[in-house]
Amino acid sequence: MAEEELKDNGQIELLLKLKNGDKSVFTHFYKMYSGQMYVNILKMVKDGQIAEELVQELFTKIWHKRELIHNAIDFKAYLYKTGQNLVYDFFRKLQRNQKMQERFRSVVTEYYSHIEEALHLKQSEELLEKALNKLSAQQRKVYQLCKIEGYTYKEAAEEMGISVHTVKEYLTKASFLVKAYLIDHLDISMSILLFLLLR
């Protein structure tokens, strides 16, 4: 039997035990993943206590919903997705807290290029669509061609029948508006960032 298959079978067995309330298996998963989850969440929330609380909340949720876990899932991916949702909820709750918003806007700015890149992944298509809806038709077309489809400025200019200078202007404005959208929507940006950090 291949090593990969042995690994899969081992995880299935562990997940079955977890679903049946085996605390030793839960402890095993906690020891295996809690440290990495803490480090990555800390990179975003910049506060050790908040990061610790979110990790505890994550594993509490895993335990309470263990019966819903399918034994054929990739547990690591499931854990990270659940963690991503928790971070999303956390930042959504902060929308009314001006001081905290300013703090985390700096995090989005720091990681903006990575967040923007992740918008082009399949998992984030809906989020990218929302950001692009803020653009004019021409800005959107330039952004689509240059940022997503990889056109050069010259190729985009020829495609659209405009000058290279105009393409650069449109792209600058479009990128500014997309960035502003992400900074104004911390819940979305931070959940994307968590997805990136945990890949």
Side-chain angles (χ1 to χ4, degrees):
M1 184 179 290
E3 183 178 344
E4 185 82 20
E5 193 174 344
L6 278 169
K7 183 179 178 182
D8 290 344
N9 287 341
Q11 178 176 271
I12 289 173
E13 183 180 345
L14 288 174
L15 289 175
L16 284 171
K17 289 181 178 179
L18 177 63
K19 287 179 69 171
N20 290 327
D22 190 322
K23 291 183 178 179
S24 66
V25 172
F26 175 77
T27 301
H28 165 76
F29 282 131
Y30 181 85
K31 289 179 178 179
M32 181 178 291
Y33 295 114
S34 61
Q36 186 178 353
M37 293 298 297
Y38 173 81
V39 168
N40 285 299
I41 290 175
L42 181 62
K43 287 178 183 177
M44 288 180 296
V45 300
K46 305 294 185 182
D47 186 297
Q49 184 176 345
I50 293 174
E52 182 64 34
E53 288 174 359
L54 287 173
V55 170
Q56 295 305 318
E57 185 178 351
L58 168 62
F59 280 92
T60 298
K61 180 168 285 194
I62 294 293
W63 176 254
H64 287 157
K65 295 190 174 183
R66 64 188 183 279
E67 294 178 1
L68 301 177
I69 297 175
H70 192 279
N71 58 10
I73 66 163
D74 179 337
F75 181 76
K76 184 177 181 180
Y78 174 76
L79 182 68
Y80 290 168
K81 179 63 177 175
T82 304
Q84 186 179 12
N85 289 337
L86 280 178
V87 171
Y88 181 94
D89 290 342
F90 171 74
F91 283 102
R92 188 172 56 189
K93 291 172 185 175
L94 288 180
Q95 290 298 326
R96 295 193 185 122
N97 188 321
Q98 189 65 34
K99 186 176 179 181
M100 293 293 279
Q101 279 192 51
E102 289 302 321
R103 177 181 176 185
F104 291 112
R105 281 190 176 118
S106 67
V107 179
V108 173
T109 300
E110 180 184 350
Y111 288 98
Y112 171 70
S113 61
H114 302 294
I115 294 171
E116 185 189 31
E117 182 181 346
L119 281 172
H120 307 156
L121 300 175
K122 185 173 180 60
Q123 295 91 332
S124 303
E125 285 177 353
E126 183 180 342
L127 303 179
L128 176 60
E129 187 66 26
K130 289 179 180 178
L132 294 184
N133 282 339
K134 302 296 180 183
L135 309 180
S136 70
Q138 290 288 80
Q139 289 169 349
R140 180 179 178 127
K141 181 66 174 177
V142 167
Y143 189 94
Q144 176 81 29
L145 291 175
C146 295
K147 288 284 191 174
I148 301 174
E149 297 181 27
Y151 279 51
T152 64
Y153 292 153
K154 183 179 179 181
E155 290 169 341
E158 291 173 354
E159 173 76 17
M160 297 178 66
I162 58 179
S163 71
V164 171
H165 177 72
T166 303
V167 167
K168 290 180 180 178
E169 280 193 344
Y170 282 152
L171 187 59
T172 298
K173 290 177 181 177
S175 297
F176 175 81
L177 290 171
V178 170
K179 183 175 182 178
Y181 176 85
L182 292 172
I183 289 174
D184 285 341
H185 295 78
L186 292 175
D187 50 350
I188 293 172
S189 301
M190 288 301 184
S191 64
I192 294 172
L193 183 55
L194 180 64
F195 168 77
L196 281 174
L197 291 170
L198 297 180
R199 275 197 302 174

